Amino acid sequence: MSAWFWNGLLHPLWATSHVMCLITLALLSVQCGRLGMRALWFALTPSLILGLLLTRLISLPQSDYYLLAASVFIGSIIALRPPRLPLSILIFAALLVGLFIGLASTAPSLPGMKTHQMAEHLVAVALGSGLMLVSAQVIAYFLNKPWQGLAVRILGAWITAGASMVLALMLLVPLSPLKP
């Protein structure tokens, strides 16, 4: 395995917006029950693969804004925990998050870089995202008991607060090159 594979595998852990989105999706899917946990995988996997394939055609430099906004939205739903949450909200959120994570995970295009190295990177991003998601789902599943469900709601509220602050700071001070 090359360095490109390991770089792609660890990419979802390095990008804070990816971590927040994947954790909130896992928490929301657990709140929706076993059907929600399965539906998340059927919605996220194709959209993540599509996003990763589109990285060669489309560049989305502000993807962190979209992912943080999605974290705020999904975290708010988790914190509120409506009694009857439609599964379509989880599926829609998973489709959007998968697409944005895929588009945000471009492989670096360096001179002399081979196609199989880019493919290794993109496959590893999908694997890393899947590993993070399944880990978060397992932990949330055991925390979602009737008396422990409060921990899931609190975690959703904290992610919402953190994503809101980071998003506000990013919008206040747009990313620009440093001036000497």
Side-chain angles (χ1 to χ4, degrees):
M1 286 188 252
S2 71
W4 298 108
F5 180 82
W6 290 109
N7 186 20
L9 191 66
L10 295 174
H11 175 75
L13 291 173
W14 291 335
T16 310
S17 57
H18 295 210
V19 172
M20 287 182 175
C21 269
L22 290 172
I23 289 175
T24 54
L25 275 178
L27 294 174
L28 186 62
S29 72
V30 168
Q31 281 188 344
C32 289
R34 290 180 190 238
L35 181 62
M37 292 173 73
R38 280 188 227 119
L40 174 63
W41 285 98
F42 286 114
L44 185 76
T45 305
S47 65
L48 180 64
I49 291 170
L50 177 66
L52 288 170
L53 291 175
L54 287 175
T55 57
R56 302 312 303 155
L57 304 173
I58 301 171
S59 176
L60 192 63
Q62 292 89 8
S63 61
D64 283 341
Y65 294 109
Y66 304 126
L67 290 172
L68 288 170
S71 295
V72 169
F73 174 71
I74 299 167
S76 300
I77 292 173
I78 293 166
L80 295 174
R81 190 173 189 170
R84 296 213 179 246
L85 180 68
L87 198 59
S88 59
I89 291 177
L90 172 68
I91 293 171
F92 179 71
L95 288 171
L96 284 180
V97 167
L99 186 65
F100 289 141
I101 286 177
L103 287 172
S105 304
T106 59
S109 56
L110 302 172
M113 188 172 179
K114 296 178 177 60
T115 307
H116 77 278
Q117 291 171 327
M118 287 184 206
E120 279 180 18
H121 176 81
L122 297 177
V123 167
V125 167
L127 286 175
S129 298
L131 287 172
M132 181 184 296
L133 188 64
V134 81
S135 301
Q137 272 187 329
V138 167
I139 292 169
Y141 179 76
F142 288 112
L143 286 178
N144 203 32
K145 305 297 181 226
W147 61 275
Q148 293 172 331
L150 187 60
V152 171
R153 293 176 67 186
I154 290 172
L155 186 58
W158 275 95
I159 290 174
T160 300
S164 298
M165 287 187 283
V166 172
L167 186 60
L169 287 173
M170 287 176 70
L171 291 173
L172 184 65
V173 182
L175 296 175
S176 61
L178 295 174
K179 295 180 182 176

